[in-house]
Structure formats: structure tokens, C-alpha cells
Amino acid sequence: MSLVSNTFCAWLKICYDAFLVNMSGLSYSFLITILWVAHCEEQFCSIDSTEHCTKEKEVNVYKKVLNEQYEKYYYAIEEAEKNYKPCNNTHNGCFKNVIIRDLKPFKEKGINKDLINTAKMRQKSCMFPSRCAGIEHFLLKLAPNMPNMDLIINVRDYPQSSKHFGVPLPIFSFSKTPQYYDITYPAWAFWEGGPAISLYPRGLGRWDEHRASLDKASKNASWEKKESKAFFRGSRTSSERDNLILLSRKKPNLVDAQYTKNQAWKSDEDTLYAPPASEVSLKAHCKYKYLFNYRGVAASFRHKHLFLCRSLVFHVGDEWIEFYYDTMIPWIHYIPVSKDADQSVLEDLIQFAINNDELSKKIANRGRDFIWNNLKMSDVTQFWKKLLKSYSKLLTYKTALSKNMIKIEKKGKS
């Protein structure tokens, strides 16, 4: 309100108070009353509404403080939403640019036999049989309708063809950073060969089964039923996770984050000087509104699972990616968190989510819908198909069957 309107309201208030004391001049005073109630009630409160007005002012001040405190987050969301359009994965529409990007270094000159032989030296044998089996599941399904080709598939955690050393090598890896030429493929863990823990002794695989179980768990734990708390369980693969663990110890009502044992665990020193926590099933994650995802040695295998809880995912770091990551948009599908975020930044982000419940729910639902609609097992198979067909067209030589190759055959039903 301007100074003029403030003065006007003050004058109406005097007239209004006079009317309450002396009921003479009914018609004039009635007009004053109408003007007062309609235009000035927000500035002055009557005796009967003092409590209500006080609360209303407190809420308004609180909202103003929150808006100023979280202005940078609101701005980031607004900017992200300006040009956002949900992707259409018909005919691999969501991920086609990933294939174009990864094959671009080989587009001009193609892939010759020398490049294949050099790449082969980086990956001589299958170091992890279950990982290889997870890849073979998709390749065997597609092989009958594929042209002949040579493939060098890396099943180690780290990519192999660095942009800082030598020429691009046509090596397929499940995860990489922008510093590598490797061609990303869907991880073996979509079928089998994922990390094995006590809850999943045969490894984290069968994405199709996890999709069904997590969808059911999410429906049993609707947003309103979830605990308004951030949650994380995992081993101390990286010190990037430490600040969330320490924040949890300081403010357990805000965060429940604890380290579990891994294969290298020897003492409490390996769990940041605290006894190791028990592992928690993926389905049990769904009872919390806010779930943190940290990378492991490379990209995190839990990433896609967390979204299906219909919980808000806080995704930490942006370097390590899998084939579908780049299609997911920060502030649209998840809350981005810097890998160097300290405890105060983490606390601020969590409080932002808590204080903006409807907005948090909206982002959580969009993240869930992206994974549910665009990362079905059929989508994974389709990506493999498009990737291999595009790759095969870049080979500049005729492939031949080598005598020392081992024949791989389909095992049982799938």
C-alpha cells in the first residue's frame, strides 16, 4: 500500500471505531464500515480477528523469508520448465541423441580393423562372468537379425578410451565421464551381474522384476504416507558421501544416512568411525520422501530404482553417466546436488524440499514417470538394437569368424 492509502485506511479506522462506540449516523457509518472491511482489514485487525490476523501476518512473513531464501531454486526450476517437453520414446526417440553423440568420433573415418585390434588389447577376456551373462542376454536375443560385426565390450567399472591419450577407440562401456570416448551401452545389471549384497546375494539384476515390486511398494507408500526425511544406505565407496552421513548424525530428524559394510570393510574406520548399519531393501526405500543417489566407483546401479519409489531423488554429481542419464533433466526429474556440497548446502536443499511439499511431489512424480515410461526392458532391448545397427554401419572391413572364438549359446528360458 502507498502512503496515501495508508493514511486513508487510518482515517477509515478512526471512523469505524467511532461507529462502534456511537451508533449515530447509521447510513454514513455503514458506508465507512464497508470501505474499512473491503480495503483495510489487512492492515488493521478488529478485536475479534486479532488472533487470526496475527497468524496470517506470521505466515505471510514466513513465506516471504522462504521465497527469498530459496529464490535460486525457484529460478532454476522456472528456467528448466520453460522449454521442457516430455520425451517420446517411440522408436527410441528419447535416447537416439546418445547414440549419435557416442558414435560421432568414428563417423568421418569409420572403424577399421586396426582400431578393433587396438581396442581388443584393452579387454582380453571376461573378468566378471555374471556381468558378461547380463550382456549376452540382450546380444543373443538380437543376434539373429543383426549383421556380422566385431564388438569390444568392456565389463570393468572404468571406461577405457581417454580423450587425453591417443585416438578414439570403439570400446563399449556401461558408464563414462565426458573425458572418455567410450560408447555407452545398457549395463549388464538390467538382467544380471549387478552388485551382490546380503539382500541380493545373486546380484542386483532382473530390472523387469524390480520394476514390478517397486511399483507396488510405491503404491503402498503414497506421498502423504512417506516419512518427511532424507534417506541413504550404502557403503563408503567414496568420501563424497561423508557430509550427508555427518549431517545425519547431527540432525537425525532430518536425515537418516548410514554406511553399510562392503567387501573391503575391516573396522569402523571404514564406516566413518561408527558401527556399520544393516542393509535396506530397495522396496523399504519407498517409505521416505527424499532419496539420495551417489555414484559408486562409476555410475550408481541404484539410480533408476530410486525413482520408481515415487520419492524425490537428490542426484549427486553430474560427471558419471549411464546411457539414459542425459535425457533426465535437473529440477524437472530430480534435485541436482554438487558432489562437493557441504553439510549446510545439503541441509538447505532438504529443507527446501520439505517447505515446498507440492513442488517436491511434482518433481518426484515426473522422475518416476520418466523411468517407468521410457526405461522398460523393451526400451533397453530397443536401445541395444539401434546402437548395434548404427555401429555396424561404421565398420570399414568385412568381419570374419576367428577360430579361437568361444561360442556363446542361450541358457534356458528368459
Side-chain angles (χ1 to χ4, degrees):
M1 262 185 202
S2 66
L3 179 61
V4 173
S5 58
N6 283 343
T7 305
F8 177 65
C9 281
W11 176 75
L12 286 177
K13 180 71 167 67
I14 293 169
C15 295
Y16 176 60
D17 290 342
F19 168 63
L20 293 177
V21 175
N22 184 358
M23 299 298 287
S24 63
L26 182 60
S27 59
Y28 173 74
S29 300
F30 183 71
L31 175 61
I32 293 295
T33 303
I34 294 297
L35 286 170
W36 159 248
V37 172
H39 299 289
C40 306
E41 187 178 21
E42 191 175 308
Q43 262 195 299
F44 302 95
C45 292
S46 65
I47 295 174
D48 295 333
S49 62
T50 300
E51 184 179 351
H52 167 75
C53 289
T54 303
K55 288 182 179 178
E56 195 68 35
K57 285 181 179 179
E58 287 176 355
V59 170
N60 289 336
V61 171
Y62 176 65
K63 285 183 178 178
K64 183 179 179 182
V65 171
L66 283 181
N67 286 341
E68 291 175 353
Q69 180 182 354
Y70 300 136
E71 186 176 356
K72 59 185 176 182
Y73 303 140
Y74 294 134
Y75 177 77
I77 293 169
E78 183 181 350
E79 287 298 299
E81 289 181 337
K82 276 183 181 178
N83 301 312
Y84 169 65
K85 291 182 181 179
C87 72
N88 183 347
N89 206 38
T90 304
H91 306 302
N92 197 49
C94 289
F95 311 123
K96 63 181 180 181
N97 288 336
V98 177
I99 296 174
I100 294 171
R101 177 202 68 195
D102 285 355
L103 296 181
K104 186 177 180 180
F106 311 101
K107 190 76 175 177
E108 185 177 345
K109 296 182 179 179
I111 300 170
N112 59 39
K113 186 66 175 176
D114 288 339
L115 280 178
I116 291 292
N117 288 335
T118 303
K120 194 183 295 183
M121 295 173 65
R122 305 283 183 95
Q123 185 74 21
K124 295 182 179 179
S125 61
C126 180
M127 297 178 65
F128 306 96
S130 61
R131 294 184 178 188
C132 293
I135 296 167
E136 290 161 9
H137 166 77
F138 295 100
L139 297 186
L140 288 169
K141 183 180 291 188
L142 295 170
N145 298 311
M146 283 287 156
N148 293 331
M149 68 186 84
D150 289 325
L151 289 173
I152 309 301
I153 299 179
N154 170 35
V155 293
R156 296 186 181 97
D157 290 322
Y158 280 103
Q160 301 294 304
S161 181
S162 172
K163 291 183 178 180
H164 301 294
F165 305 101
V167 299
L169 295 175
I171 299 176
F172 286 68
S173 293
F174 93 97
S175 174
K176 69 174 182 178
T177 72
Q179 308 306 315
Y180 289 87
Y181 288 116
D182 296 51
I183 302 164
T184 47
Y185 67 87
W188 50 83
F190 278 99
W191 187 253
E192 68 174 287
I197 60 176
S198 61
L199 294 173
Y200 307 103
R202 298 184 63 182
L204 192 62
R206 293 307 301 263
W207 170 238
D208 53 339
E209 294 178 355
H210 283 301
R211 275 173 57 90
S213 63
L214 287 169
D215 186 55
K216 182 178 179 181
S218 72
K219 289 174 181 175
N220 291 335
S222 65
W223 182 262
E224 291 71 26
K225 293 179 181 178
K226 293 177 187 290
E227 284 192 47
S228 190
K229 182 184 290 189
F231 184 78
F232 173 79
R233 283 294 185 280
S235 62
R236 196 174 180 227
T237 310
S238 166
S239 60
E240 291 174 11
R241 306 174 174 191
D242 286 356
N243 279 327
L244 187 70
I245 303 298
L246 294 172
L247 179 61
S248 175
R249 294 174 185 176
K250 187 187 300 181
K251 298 194 173 182
N253 292 330
L254 187 70
V255 187
D256 182 354
Q258 300 180 58
Y259 279 137
T260 59
K261 284 184 180 180
N262 60 19
Q263 295 175 341
W265 188 88
K266 295 178 181 177
S267 68
D268 287 353
E269 183 179 352
D270 296 321
T271 41
L272 206 61
Y273 305 99
S278 300
E279 292 161 347
V280 175
S281 71
L282 290 168
K283 289 186 291 185
H285 282 63
C286 295
K287 64 182 285 191
Y288 298 94
K289 279 189 176 181
Y290 320 111
L291 300 176
F292 270 77
N293 179 71
Y294 287 89
R295 72 174 182 89
V297 177
S300 167
F301 289 108
R302 85 184 75 207
H303 180 272
K304 57 186 175 289
H305 298 81
L306 299 183
F307 286 93
L308 292 189
C309 277
R310 286 187 175 89
S311 298
L312 178 60
V313 174
F314 288 74
H315 180 53
V316 183
D318 59 1
E319 290 185 317
W320 288 94
I321 60 168
E322 290 191 60
F323 81 95
Y324 64 92
Y325 277 28
D326 284 350
T327 317
M328 301 190 76
I329 303 171
W331 300 108
I332 294 291
H333 300 117
Y334 61 90
I335 300 292
V337 184
S338 168
K339 66 178 182 179
D340 302 316
D342 60 22
Q343 292 180 51
S344 63
V345 170
L346 293 172
E347 182 178 357
D348 192 51
L349 280 167
I350 296 167
Q351 288 289 3
F352 166 72
I354 292 172
N355 292 327
N356 293 272
D357 192 63
E358 284 302 312
L359 188 55
S360 296
K361 182 180 178 181
K362 180 181 178 181
I363 298 173
N365 284 333
R366 282 196 302 225
R368 178 266 175 194
D369 289 347
F370 178 91
I371 295 293
W372 183 257
N373 294 329
N374 303 312
L375 209 60
K376 305 181 292 293
M377 287 296 276
S378 58
D379 295 312
V380 176
T381 304
Q382 179 78 357
F383 182 86
W384 265 114
K385 180 180 178 181
K386 294 284 186 179
L387 175 61
L388 294 179
K389 285 198 169 183
S390 298
Y391 165 84
S392 68
K393 293 175 182 177
L394 297 175
L395 298 178
T396 60
Y397 66 98
K398 186 176 181 179
T399 58
L401 189 63
S402 175
K403 293 181 180 179
N404 62 358
M405 285 185 174
I406 300 172
K407 186 176 182 180
I408 297 171
E409 296 181 298
K410 200 171 183 178
K411 301 173 184 177
K413 295 181 179 180
S414 60

